[in-house]
Amino acid sequence: PTVDSVAIILKTDGRPLNARIELLQGPNNNKQVVELYTEDGLDRPFFAIVETPGSGNVVRVVNTAPVEFPLYASVDAYRVGGGGDWADDGLMIGRAF
């Protein structure tokens, strides 16, 4: 199966959140970049669903803040497809022979 989109969550323990999210789609394409900043990453965390069509995608999260301001990052598969007999909800679909 392929991952069609990912859910990205970034937060801190109440300190400023300063980060860059990069989406690389294959070796010969330009990367897509989101730079973000918030004063308080606990009260105002960042959440996004990013489409990752095709194969060979890489999501990179970079903490651009000083080392004194760590961040918590989570990138999880949100929609998985292309599994042939598997539906989006993970249930097996019957085949007619």
Side-chain angles (χ1 to χ4, degrees):
T2 61
V3 177
D4 295 332
S5 60
V6 294
I8 302 171
I9 301 171
L10 303 178
K11 66 179 184 173
T12 66
D13 58 358
R15 298 177 186 187
L17 171 64
N18 199 357
R20 184 174 63 240
I21 301 170
E22 301 173 356
L23 174 62
L24 294 87
Q25 295 177 304
N28 298 327
N29 292 331
N30 292 331
K31 61 184 171 186
Q32 299 177 32
V33 179
V34 174
E35 293 190 15
L36 57 106
Y37 174 79
T38 182
E39 293 269 337
D40 186 342
L42 185 62
D43 285 342
R44 291 177 296 280
F46 176 81
F47 175 77
I49 296 174
V50 177
E51 297 291 325
T52 56
S55 62
N57 294 304
V58 175
V59 176
R60 180 178 177 208
V61 177
V62 180
N63 185 6
T64 56
V67 75
E68 294 86 10
F69 301 124
L71 66 84
Y72 304 99
S74 174
V75 179
D76 292 318
Y78 181 74
R79 173 182 251 161
V80 178
D85 294 332
W86 293 93
D88 285 342
D89 60 358
L91 297 175
M92 188 76 161
I93 298 173
R95 279 188 167 163
F97 291 99

